[in-house]
Amino acid sequence: TMVDPEAENNIFKKVYEMDEIPVYIDSPGSVVYFPGCAGTYINKNMAQAVVTLLEKAGVDYTVLSGLEYCCGAVSVGAGNPGPIRRHGQQNIEEVRKRGAKILLTSCPGCFKAFKEIYPKMFGEMDFEVLHVSQYLERLLKEGKLTPETTLKHRVFYHDPCHLTRGMGVYREARNVLENIPGTELANKTPEGSACCGFGGGVRVNYPSESISVASDRFRAAEKLGCGIIITNCGGCMQNLVEAGKDEKIKIFDLAEYLSLACGVNIPREDQKLLELVNRAYSLCISGYKEPDLS
């Protein structure tokens, strides 16, 4: 119930009560951006970076954000099909209503919902479903986005489980990174990639163990001589940020890093993010204890 929009112990409701949420345009558009619950309430810099890039590329876009459009993927993965049954068809109709040719998601879970689960439950989509990494690669290929700042970094790309192993999407983000001047990608394939420890309810049920798993990603990046880890999943981002509080290696979302290369610095409040999610977990989950980071 902690991710069920109708439940009182929904973690995103709690974050909303404690923090300001950005307001995005919601009007007709050929591209509908769906930031998901995490992008709307927790990983706000991730969603802001995507919107910044859509603006810069001159895309005719609109945004469907907030709990009223929850995709239901996390709930159904935990055995609760209620939210996806209540929201799925409604979400499809909302996308159609806006005249969308493309539905764009940041969250791998939302991507799986629209790309794989919804067609099985509600019939084939009449719009294209893309993950942000796939669409950013397309914008670069079409010349609608051109990195103008050289970012001289050796980077490690962290493959999100649900995106790479779950949906088979791993090349596009690497192509984006390889098109940024000065950026050297250390791991060109997903070989040897591993979980960050966040998903499957691990972070909320086994906080310390979850962060310990995330810490291993820093060792992997360090071994390859990287100063930056790039990912494109809100859960991975949160866990890596929390595990890396005392690390020299920095964490970036893919869209955020590309925004930087395009001359825009997206504001980050990592400490506030961690305080908010741990507070929300404490309020929503009986017996929750913050991870031991020692």
Side-chain angles (χ1 to χ4, degrees), residues 182-287:
T183 294
E184 181 188 2
L185 178 63
N187 56 332
K188 297 183 182 297
T189 74
E191 184 180 352
S193 64
C195 181
C196 76
F198 181 87
V202 178
R203 173 60 185 81
V204 294
N205 288 292
Y206 308 99
S208 298
E209 292 87 342
S210 172
I211 297 302
S212 177
V213 171
S215 297
D216 180 64
R217 297 295 79 209
F218 287 88
R219 307 290 81 75
E222 189 176 38
K223 191 174 180 180
L224 291 174
C226 299
I228 287 177
I229 296 175
I230 310 280
T231 191
N232 50 4
C233 165
C236 296
M237 181 81 177
Q238 180 188 322
N239 237 32
L240 290 168
V241 165
E242 192 160 24
K245 286 172 70 176
D246 300 320
E247 296 280 350
K248 292 179 182 178
I249 295 175
K250 295 181 179 179
I251 310 297
F252 284 93
D253 172 71
L254 179 71
E256 180 189 25
Y257 189 77
L258 182 58
S259 294
L260 205 57
C262 290
V264 182
N265 189 8
I266 306 298
R268 283 269 293 269
E269 294 183 279
D270 289 351
Q271 187 56 42
K272 182 180 179 182
L273 180 152
L274 298 179
E275 289 172 359
L276 281 171
V277 294
N278 275 293
R279 177 71 177 144
Y281 290 161
S282 297
L283 291 169
C284 296
I285 303 161
S286 178

Side-chain angles (χ1 to χ4, degrees), residues 62-75:
T62 187
V63 182
L64 280 183
S65 62
L67 271 175
E68 63 185 307
Y69 303 117
C70 175
C71 75
V74 177
S75 290

